[in-house]
Amino acid sequence: MAVFAEDVNLAGYTTLRLGGPARRFVEATTEAELVAAVRGADEEGEPVLVLGGGSNLVVSDDGFPGTVVHVGTRGTERTAAEGGRILVRVQAGEDWDQFVARCVSDGLAGVECLSGIPGRVGATPIQNVGAYGQDVSETIVEVRAYDREAGAVVTLDRDACGFTYRNSVFKGNDRYVVLDVTYALHEAEESQPIAYAELARKLGVEQGDRVTLKEARDAVLELRRGKGMVLDPADPDTRSAGSFFTNPILDPARLAELERRVAERLGPDAAFPRYPESGGRIKTSAAWLIDRAGFSKGHALGPARISTKHTLALTNPGGCTTADLLALAREVRAGVHDAFGVTLVNEPVMVGVTL
């Protein structure tokens, strides 16, 4: 039976350790409990926040004036072998990195470069979680979800999920509550081709080469730890929501404006990171823009601080409020826009606040 409580402080359920109280808090450990909790709140006209690992949330200091449903469902099963692929269905409440570790130990390739990412499985399709050259959209086959509009459980195939860069039909839309996710993985001793230049350098291989699954996971974890991106209670730099801003994707006109601004600010020979995208667009680095706009690692505004290890992470070293963190985020966003004409977009989901 689901566990109910009142006035539960949400700071204890987010990696930022920020957020005020939930008026009502429900711990759901089965799919039936999860669906019933959301359906019941909807029938009462109650606002609902579905909470997983809290690693991608910025919650208001005032908390949430409704029902928070904490997803605690567990279970992983191989559902089929299809065309050389192993289909694995995973409940939404499973810890993501523990799932990746099991895949690596079981010789299943496809998610090894997504090691060390905090949070739960149910969040991965929402954000189209990705890192070091892999995105979950490459392996997701289908997502089962509770459709709050239809009042029924539905299955969305990969196309219906509408995956784009750090986005999907689930993000910014509370219609669907993810129940489980099915991934298509490959039985292999070696990783998928290493696509990310930084990871290839760390491994001492060329882009496109393969390494053992364990080598790929270990290298990713080491890189992430060096950036404060693996949760560690002893390291205040990990008290964050991961990368706070997405990497901007620019059309030709905005790219030309950035080129002009970079030349004016940094000189005609200055170059910035460029990664080709579809439609003639170019993705550039938010971290590069933040640093070149004058915000170095460790930059602070009040008690909120940019990580001392990685300029994309905004942290709560201690004594911080959500208002403090957002003030720093606004300072960084405004500074980058003033310097380069690019408006950064937040990656974490905002609950009761706006940037």
Side-chain angles (χ1 to χ4, degrees), residues 174-211:
D174 60 4
R175 174 177 176 176
Y176 298 105
V177 178
V178 175
L179 302 176
D180 62 53
V181 185
T182 298
Y183 302 89
L185 306 173
H186 297 269
E187 285 189 303
E189 294 182 359
E190 292 187 327
S191 67
Q192 296 293 90
I194 300 300
Y196 201 76
E198 182 186 19
L199 180 57
R201 290 193 297 270
K202 179 70 176 176
L203 289 162
V205 300
E206 297 295 323
Q207 286 180 259
D209 288 349
R210 299 174 188 262
V211 297

Side-chain angles (χ1 to χ4, degrees), residues 124-128 136-137 140-145 154-164 166-171 173 176 178 180-182:
T124 62
I126 297 172
Q127 186 74 5
N128 187 15
V136 291
S137 58
I140 289 177
V141 173
E142 65 180 32
V143 175
R144 288 180 65 253
V154 297
T155 299
L156 291 83
D157 64 18
R158 185 182 181 280
D159 290 340
C161 291
F163 291 122
T164 56
R166 301 297 170 267
N167 207 351
S168 71
V169 296
F170 308 106
K171 187 173 181 180
N173 176 357
Y176 298 105
V178 175
D180 62 53
V181 185
T182 298

Side-chain angles (χ1 to χ4, degrees), residues 31 73-76 89-94 121-122 144 179-181:
E31 179 179 305
T73 54
R74 297 287 188 271
T76 302
R89 176 177 291 169
V90 191
Q91 295 297 307
E94 284 283 343
V121 165
R144 288 180 65 253
L179 302 176
D180 62 53
V181 185

